[in-house]
Amino acid sequence: MAGERPTPDTNLRSLVGKAAVNLAKKDLVTARDLLEFWPRSYLDPTRPTDFSTLHDGEYVVVLAEVHTAVTRKMRQRRGSMLIATIRDGAGNQLELTFFSAWGHENALVPGRRVLVSGTVSHYGGRRQLTHPEYELLGAGAEASSTFGEGPIPVYGQVPKMNSMKVAAAVDLVLHAVEEIPDPIPVTVRAAHGLPPLSNAYAMMHQPRSTQEHRKARWRMKFQEAFVLQAALAVMRHSSDAVPAVPRSATPGALADQFRERLPFDLTEGQQQVLAEITADLDRTLPMHRLLQGEVGSGKTVVALLAMLTVIDAGAQAALLAPTEVLAVQHHRSISAMLGPLAEAGLLGGSSDGTRVALLTGSQSAAERKKNLLMAASGEAGIVVGTHALIQEHVQFAELGLVVVDEQHRFGVEQRDALRAKVEGASPHTLVMTATPIPRTVAMTVFGDMETSTMTEVPRGRQPITTHVVRGDQPTWVQRTWERVAEEVAKGGQVYVVCPRIGQEDDPDLPDGATIGPGGPIADQHGPGGRRPAPDEDDEGRRAQLHGVLQVWRALRELPATTDLRLGILHGRQPTEEKDAVMQAFARGEIDVLVATTVIEVGVDVPNATQMVVIDADRFGISQLHQLRGRIGRGTKPGLCLLMSQEAESLSLERLEAVASTTDGFELARLDLEQRREGDVLGASQSGARSSLRLLRLTRDEELITAAHDAAWQLVADDPDLTGHPELRAELARLDAERAAFLERG
Ligand code: ADP
Ligand code: MG
């Protein structure tokens, strides 16, 4: 649109010309995209770049002074070539080689300061850049106009554009776009010493000092945290605007009766959390509570007591499980724990009891209909099912409480979807995490919720010992399977966890008992399998991972385990089969259950005392901690063996970390440090390019806290953001971007 002032949303085509085509290949389409294409690093103009760390094949941007420049006649061709050398502070040399001297001779003269980009190679023992691109610095007509005396930004690679060209495009945009709305209100900026957004862009791309780009970076991080927190605060405010029905505890009713039936006392942590929840339920403000706790800390009992309180008050509760296996198990264990209390209307059932309905994807039509009816009529006080199912199909008579169990993937969407089920009122919500999470994650992902934490596990809980087993050490491997057999002989049961299901006809895996020399199944039957070649990519590596089916077959043949009763559990089995296997395992009819991570969360078989995790390096730290939480749940101590063929020290270090502590919070911190933020936040938070890009949940706690407080205060004072249209527009923009991202999948 000619004549209109460029804004951050203006397409780059009208601002930088043909370069826009290349920039678009990096998804840089609008002025804002380019302005937020942050420099990867900065070069100090007063100091030559250190050449000693440059690797062959690396694309580099270096700053130095021309030391010598020699023109040579070419033997085979006409014309002459130019070899200039540049030097770093330590005297290391880098040759700049041009096969045609023309045009370069006059520019690259000794003493000239240059900014050079190219790919490092070696020729005749000398480090060089062949046909590098460069810009002259300092005074003079030929000198670059983009770079001043301050630190020089270095950008990540854009097709057909070197770092200097990107800088030139950024320069154009910085000059063209004048009106840059700032989502951080001036009061907040003043309180935290943050420069305005337009200044911050300039300070990032064309800093006059190191301090300046640091300050700008701090501001942009603050913005990421602030905008995210404002979004959470606005969401929370709008949901608080729809009141909830208070569900007061009824003395002597189901909840109290159930508590009396429990074969154990609640831990102090459980009692405290329960008190918090009961107080929340008693309010017209809908509860939004996150219950995070150590694996095995007994979250389910707490949730069940909360559900019963709501039932006592005349409403229903929904329990959302992440998998069918877990939904089925919850249904069974809750029914068992409640006993006659869950048999209302049945012979022998308690007269003031309730019923527990179950909804899974693979129920028969008749079964499902029966359960849907129980939910709709209100006959079922508790409705257990998978997230998707309950959200899409279930009608409730009076939904009072939603419990989301073992949330792994943290999306705001899931928590929100059930609100629509309750006309005119918000249900109370309790979200339980699968593993402990660091404070900053809680604040960022569950920032709209109050948090309860349970760190202790019930007394008498048996310790779990964890060891790392090197898969390339046949004697250790053999010993592992002997330990499994010994455990079974002592009356225990064992999980063997594999990273994938595997296929019966997998061509990569040999027949019979052996899975790779030195693999997790010791090589007792001759050669077979192959180790991945060192240069094999990850895909190739993945094909080498041990599958449930292969391991099961191998264990059947191994002398140590051949007589044991082996079972298989994985996601491709029909639900009834999975359920039958789980029940058989729970009844002790299976000694060794070879499974995928379907057993990861919630599965509760107290007699299971040992776990072998195969290719353990393939799992995340928190995931291993969660997996290992499946054992040591009864009266006997647990043993967890993490097997890995990985010789790489970092992988082994991770496994050793898991082996060294059972403190889930400590492990969660470690996990977060090693993973990309996106893995932690899930698609909805990380997918859109504009959300957390500079912010590091591990390192920026202080900043996140400050941004949190500022944002929540602001929204409390102005919930509709009427006085802050820039912030409101930014939230709308991010919403749209996120929606578009989710649409694309
Ligand atoms: P998680 O917090 O990992 O979900 P669960 O709720 O599955 O843990 O509880 C683990 C086990 O501990 C269950 O078998 C449960 O019955 C038992 N349990 C819960 N609370 C207590 C308690 N206070 N004392 C003893 N055992 C308990
Ligand atoms: Mg649980």
Side-chain angles (χ1 to χ4, degrees):
M1 280 163 284
E4 267 184 35
R5 287 261 199 77
T7 72
D9 292 311
T10 302
N11 195 295
L12 285 170
R13 261 172 313 183
S14 66
L15 300 173
V16 303
K18 271 196 263 168
V21 177
N22 295 321
L23 292 166
K25 289 183 189 139
K26 286 285 276 185
D27 275 339
L28 305 171
V29 178
T30 64
R32 180 186 292 103
D33 291 340
L34 186 58
L35 290 173
E36 296 189 358
F37 186 57
W38 307 128
R40 207 175 49 183
S41 59
Y42 297 88
L43 296 177
D44 180 347
T46 63
R47 240 185 303 168
T49 313
D50 177 6
F51 296 161
S52 65
T53 57
L54 306 183
H55 301 294
D56 273 10
E58 191 185 1
Y59 171 84
V60 297
V61 180
V62 298
L63 185 150
E65 208 161 272
V66 176
H67 183 60
T68 60
V70 181
T71 313
R72 245 192 247 140
K73 284 261 175 268
M74 304 262 273
R75 253 179 254 144
Q76 264 101 28
R77 293 198 263 148
R78 287 204 301 145
S80 51
M81 66 184 289
L82 171 72
I83 299 176
T85 56
I86 52 178
R87 274 198 177 174
D88 71 6
N92 296 308
Q93 289 216 133
L94 190 56
E95 283 186 2
L96 312 178
T97 312
F98 299 87
F99 291 110
S100 164
W102 192 80
H104 304 298
E105 275 170 303
N106 298 331
L108 296 171
V109 294
R112 187 83 216 203
R113 272 197 315 140
V114 284
L115 189 60
V116 190
S117 75
T119 303
V120 181
S121 61
H122 266 84
Y123 182 75
R126 296 185 301 273
R127 208 184 271 123
Q128 69 166 13
L129 302 175
T130 309
H131 277 279
E133 297 182 276
Y134 60 90
E135 265 185 48
L136 306 179
L137 300 173
E142 335 78 72
S144 161
S145 57
T146 316
F147 305 110
E149 291 303 305
I152 292 175
V154 177
Y155 295 93
Q157 266 180 301
V158 171
K160 294 192 190 144
M161 283 177 86
N162 65 38
S163 185
M164 291 84 88
K165 291 201 175 110
V166 175
V170 170
D171 186 53
L172 286 176
V173 174
L174 277 173
H175 283 97
V177 183
E178 280 170 14
E179 308 260 322
I180 298 181
D182 192 335
I184 307 183
V186 62
T187 47
V188 176
R189 289 204 311 262
H192 295 273
L194 307 171
L197 181 55
S198 55
N199 292 15
Y201 283 147
M203 288 158 74
M204 276 294 237
H205 294 288
Q206 302 178 347
R208 281 172 299 190
S209 65
T210 302
Q211 231 172 339
E212 237 185 39
H213 68 73
R214 290 214 177 120
K215 196 171 171 189
R217 199 175 187 80
W218 171 266
R219 183 223 131 99
M220 296 315 305
K221 280 188 189 187
F222 191 97
Q223 178 172 328
E224 287 181 2
F226 178 80
V227 168
L228 193 81
Q229 289 299 332
L232 289 168
V234 166
M235 191 175 75
R236 175 65 190 267
H237 259 274
S238 72
S239 75
D240 282 356
V242 182
V245 179
R247 313 287 180 183
S248 318
T250 314
L254 283 178
D256 284 354
Q257 290 173 33
F258 173 69
R259 216 165 147 163
E260 269 159 37
R261 281 179 55 97
L262 277 178
F264 47 74
D265 292 328
L266 295 184
T267 64
E268 240 166 70
Q270 285 172 317
Q271 292 181 38
Q272 192 187 326
V273 169
L274 195 62
E276 287 167 354
I277 294 174
T278 320
D280 284 352
L281 291 174
D282 209 3
R283 293 197 195 109
T284 51
L285 209 60
M287 171 170 79
H288 296 273
R289 190 165 285 280
L290 170 71
L291 170 51
Q292 62 160 329
E294 190 53 87
V295 176
S297 57
K299 297 184 283 282
T300 314
V301 177
V302 173
L304 186 51
L305 280 161
M307 291 193 272
L308 292 173
T309 303
V310 167
I311 295 168
D312 287 337
Q316 294 166 288
L319 175 58
L320 279 59
T323 64
E324 277 203 23
V325 170
L326 193 54
V328 170
Q329 174 176 312
H330 267 322
H331 177 255
R332 181 170 303 115
S333 67
I334 286 175
S335 302
M337 277 196 274
L338 289 173
L341 302 180
E343 294 166 1
L346 300 184
L347 206 60
S350 160
S351 57
D352 53 356
T354 186
R355 302 285 301 275
V356 186
L358 172 69
L359 281 154
T360 68
S362 41
Q363 277 171 325
S364 70
E367 190 73 4
R368 180 190 275 210
K369 197 168 163 206
K370 192 184 93 191
N371 281 282
L372 283 171
L373 208 64
M374 281 167 66
S377 67
E379 188 188 349
I382 298 175
V383 180
V384 184
T386 51
H387 293 185
L389 230 115
I390 291 193
Q391 279 167 14
E392 280 161 33
H393 302 292
V394 187
Q395 284 305 320
F396 294 88
E398 170 98 20
L399 180 60
L401 171 66
V402 177
V403 179
V404 184
D405 188 26
E406 308 286 11
Q407 181 123 329
H408 256 323
R409 291 251 140 243
F410 311 129
V412 169
E413 301 81 15
Q414 286 98 315
R415 322 208 277 272
D416 241 19
L418 273 172
R419 217 165 266 152
K421 296 272 176 196
V422 187
E423 256 169 63
S426 295
H428 298 283
T429 318
L430 178 67
V431 174
M432 302 195 281
T433 58
T435 48
I437 53 176
R439 199 177 94 90
T440 47
V441 176
M443 213 190 279
T444 306
V445 184
F446 300 103
D448 59 326
M449 316 194 93
E450 275 78 44
T451 307
S452 296
T453 305
M454 298 201 300
T455 47
E456 73 186 312
V457 293
R459 242 177 313 147
R461 188 58 58 77
Q462 297 301 309
I464 301 171
T465 312
T466 306
H467 294 294
V468 179
V469 178
R470 293 279 299 272
D472 55 358
Q473 314 242 329
T475 48
W476 293 23
V477 172
Q478 191 180 337
R479 183 72 198 111
T480 299
W481 300 118
E482 286 166 8
R483 273 298 278 114
V484 167
E486 286 161 18
E487 194 71 17
V488 173
K490 282 192 291 182
Q493 286 170 281
V494 181
Y495 294 104
V496 176
V497 184
C498 307
R500 62 182 200 122
I501 300 171
Q503 287 170 338
E504 282 297 349
D505 54 356
D506 194 330
D508 269 352
L509 286 156
D511 275 344
T514 51
I515 298 187
I521 311 297
D523 187 10
Q524 305 180 356
H525 298 263
R530 63 192 179 101
R531 294 275 290 174
D535 60 350
E536 221 161 22
D537 61 7
D538 205 46
E539 282 297 299
R541 178 74 178 76
R542 189 151 297 151
Q544 297 298 309
L545 297 177
H546 295 89
V548 167
L549 300 174
Q550 282 75 31
V551 170
W552 171 76
R553 239 183 325 166
L555 291 179
R556 217 175 38 180
E557 311 255 322
L558 271 185
T561 50
T562 184
D563 291 334
L564 306 182
R565 293 168 301 173
L566 305 174
I568 284 186
L569 190 72
H570 60 74
R572 277 213 296 267
Q573 285 164 317
T575 300
E576 299 101 72
E577 196 178 320
K578 276 190 274 200
D579 190 32
V581 171
M582 251 347 276
Q583 270 183 279
F585 189 66
R587 280 196 304 263
E589 292 162 12
I590 291 173
D591 300 318
V592 178
L593 185 59
V594 186
T596 57
T597 53
V598 286
I599 60 139
E600 181 179 3
V601 288
V603 170
D604 191 18
V605 178
N607 195 48
T609 41
Q610 204 177 94
M611 174 176 284
V612 180
V613 183
I614 292 182
D615 292 322
D617 51 274
R618 283 284 135 176
F619 300 95
I621 290 178
S622 288
Q623 200 177 14
L624 289 171
H625 182 57
Q626 178 69 24
L627 275 169
R628 141 178 96 172
R630 302 307 109 214
I631 55 172
R633 294 183 153 245
T635 50
K636 288 185 257 173
L639 176 66
C640 176
L641 300 169
L642 305 176
M643 207 182 267
S644 169
Q645 284 180 271
E646 196 66 62
E648 195 220 326
S649 62
L650 200 72
S651 310
L652 289 177
E653 244 172 61
R654 264 178 348 123
L655 299 184
E656 290 295 349
V658 176
S660 72
T661 178
T662 48
D663 180 342
F665 283 90
E666 179 55 32
L667 290 172
R669 255 190 305 279
L670 265 175
D671 199 12
L672 184 59
E673 262 163 40
Q674 300 197 346
R675 290 161 70 185
R676 283 176 35 247
E677 314 282 304
D679 297 341
V680 179
L681 300 182
S684 60
Q685 258 100 356
S686 68
R689 201 157 29 92
S690 54
S691 34
L692 313 194
R693 295 172 58 212
L694 296 172
L695 204 61
R696 289 288 164 266
L697 296 181
T698 35
R699 272 170 261 153
D700 296 322
E701 178 158 359
E702 197 186 326
L703 186 150
I704 293 171
T705 308
H708 169 276
D709 294 351
W712 283 76
Q713 185 58 54
L714 185 107
V715 174
D717 294 342
D718 181 8
D720 302 323
L721 301 179
T722 349
H724 303 284
E726 295 90 354
L727 178 57
R728 201 168 53 180
E730 179 72 3
L731 296 185
R733 198 176 65 73
L734 290 179
D735 259 358
E737 209 170 286
R738 196 163 291 155
F741 176 82
L742 290 175
E743 197 118 298
R744 273 189 316 230

